[in-house]
Amino acid sequence: MTSAKGKTTSSELNPRTTRYEFLGPPGALAICIGTPVVMYAMYFGCAEEYGGCPPPQVDWAAVASALTSWSWWRGLWDTQAASLYLAYYAFVVVSWYLLPGKYVQGLPMRNGQVKTYKVNAFATLLLLFGISAGVLWRHGPQPFTIIYEKWVGLLTASTLMSFALALGCYLASFRDGALLALGGNSGNFIYDFFIGRELNPSIGSLDLKSFNELRPGLMLWALVDIAMACTQAVRRGGHVTDSMWLVVLFQCWYVADALYNESAVFTTMDITSDGFGFMLALAITIEPFLYSLQARYLVFNPTELGPVYTAMILAVNLLGYYIFRAANGEKNDFRNGRNPKNLQYITTESGRKLLTSGWWGRSRHPNYMGDLLMALAWSLPTGFNTPLTYFYVIYFTILLVHRQQRDDEACRKKYGKDWEKYKSIVPWRIVPCLY
Ligand SMILES: NC(=O)C1=CN([C@@H]2O[C@H](COP(=O)(O)OP(=O)(O)OC[C@H]3O[C@@H](n4cnc5c(N)ncnc54)[C@H](OP(=O)(O)O)[C@@H]3O)[C@@H](O)[C@H]2O)C=CC1
Ligand SMILES: CC(C)=CCC[C@@H](C)[C@H]1CC=C2C3=C(CC[C@@]21C)[C@@]1(C)CC[C@H](O)C(C)(C)[C@@H]1CC3
């Protein structure tokens, strides 16, 4: 319940009424610790310096010895890598500030205010690509190999940045006037730190949540992919395998599409309802250092696919992208008052409409289906020598199924019995006839 002045009432933020997600504080703690552990494990368990992907045999005594020695933990830190990472992050912030861009408004918040966002992420990506092309033209692929060589140091720097962002925003959320996220102030530090206590933490006009969800992580993902291709080229006399070309082009395309459609993010649940906590702050680390696993694997496992397999994998990615873009575009158009295909819909008591034909008549998240097909297309070029390069597909399936369940609950609260009516018309959650 919100008072007439749009202020959040104490009953609305009553910690005792917070409905836990992610299994509450124990789940939040497990993810806070587990995600960085998985990120490092996906490196040490899939790296040529450590025996391959995965190593044919693991000396567990040596692993135990390393984990109990301070020098090993100290070795995760690399000052040069951290400096490189901070310089990159500063580039993304300065580009946001200096590059021109249009200003778009987000959805009204529960206090009645509307945030304005500067949209120039795609311009920043083009600048990054331009700088990379210039370096490649002048110095060749060699300079980019530092990202492959300094992987652990860069991962550590990014993980610490995620932690610093989340802790800084958590502490700042106790100031007067901070608009809190309804689900992120249970009173339990671990849970609120993970989920995010403040809805839209900002520094001046820089919205930290949308900035960090979209920019430093996705752009570094593209840069890491390019660096992996360059590292493979340096090792193979300038030749890049068709499998590497596929992975790098697919993923750079995905990043470019996301940043080109930056405005569409401002209506996602992350922006409209989730607080900015460690979960979303991890985006700046998960996107570049987990999503680029296939490209890193292909550096030391250069796989030649040949034209037939290349065409088949290309077809899978194109189909996935078509579904992803068509479904997201259909809903974004509809939410912006356009219905060029005269799609059918139901009008809910709240006045908002829900599509019941087209892609959103086939399932409740057809866009997820497209995204998952693309995730598969990114793994197929690595062949079938190891399940580790399919980790993203598995992780992403779990993430999207959980996200679908969270979104279903949010829509049930938003639309009540109209959502039940919609679910009777559209029974499939993601993949028609499957789930
Ligand atoms: N690569 C990655 O790591 C990730 C990628 N993604 C991708 O992000 C994209 C966005 O996903 P997500 O943010 O989960 O949200 P969705 O794009 O799935 O949209 C869900 C929202 O759309 C609205 N909606 C639901 N059904 C209908 C309907 N029938 N007609 C009109 N509006 C409807 C509801 O909001 P309302 O009614 O309030 O408008 C609902 O909350 C997806 O393509 C997903 O694949 C997401 C997470 C991670
Ligand atoms: C449990 C845990 C550690 C969760 C972290 C999840 C995040 C990595 C993702 C949550 C929602 C995301 C989105 C994208 C990337 C991953 C995260 C941050 C996204 C920016 C990818 C590109 C898409 O086109 C998108 C813009 C629609 C998408 C928005 C959601």
Side-chain angles (χ1 to χ4, degrees), residues 254 291 335 352 355 365 367-368 371 403 407 414-415:
Y254 187 80
Y291 292 7
R335 277 287 177 259
R352 286 175 77 83
L355 285 165
H365 292 278
N367 47 355
Y368 289 11
D371 219 341
R403 195 175 173 89
D407 188 61
K414 265 186 278 191
Y415 301 116

Side-chain angles (χ1 to χ4, degrees), residues 254 268-270 291 324 328 331 334-335 352-355 360 364-365 367-368 371 392 396 399-400 403 407 411 414-415 419 422:
Y254 187 80
T268 62
M269 69 175 86
D270 314 298
Y291 292 7
F324 171 87
N328 277 318
K331 176 169 67 77
F334 189 67
R335 277 287 177 259
R352 286 175 77 83
K353 301 177 173 71
L354 293 171
L355 285 165
W360 298 79
R364 296 178 220 150
H365 292 278
N367 47 355
Y368 289 11
D371 219 341
Y392 175 71
F396 196 37
L399 184 146
L400 288 182
R403 195 175 173 89
D407 188 61
C411 287
K414 265 186 278 191
Y415 301 116
W419 186 249
Y422 171 67

Side-chain angles (χ1 to χ4, degrees), residues 213-214 254 258 265 270 279 282-283 286-287 324 395 399 403:
E213 177 168 18
L214 269 176
Y254 187 80
V265 177
D270 314 298
M279 178 178 78
L282 275 171
I286 288 176
E287 290 164 358
F324 171 87
Y395 145 86
L399 184 146
R403 195 175 173 89

Side-chain angles (χ1 to χ4, degrees), residues 18-25 27-29 31-32 166 169-170 180-186 188-199 201 209 269-270 273-281 402 406:
T18 298
R19 183 180 173 281
Y20 282 139
E21 297 181 277
F22 296 95
L23 303 176
L29 181 62
I31 296 174
C32 285
C169 289
Y170 176 81
L180 302 184
L182 288 181
N185 45 96
S186 67
N188 176 283
F189 164 69
I190 289 293
Y191 185 78
D192 296 347
F193 168 77
F194 172 70
I195 286 286
R197 198 166 179 273
E198 185 170 358
L199 183 63
K209 184 166 61 173
M269 69 175 86
D270 314 298
S273 58
D274 289 346
F276 182 57
F278 193 53
M279 178 178 78
L280 283 183
H402 182 253
R406 291 185 73 208

Side-chain angles (χ1 to χ4, degrees), residues 241-243 246 303-313 381:
T241 58
D242 48 17
S243 55
L246 283 181
T303 307
E304 292 290 0
L305 298 168
V308 174
Y309 286 123
T310 296
M312 290 166 71
I313 295 169

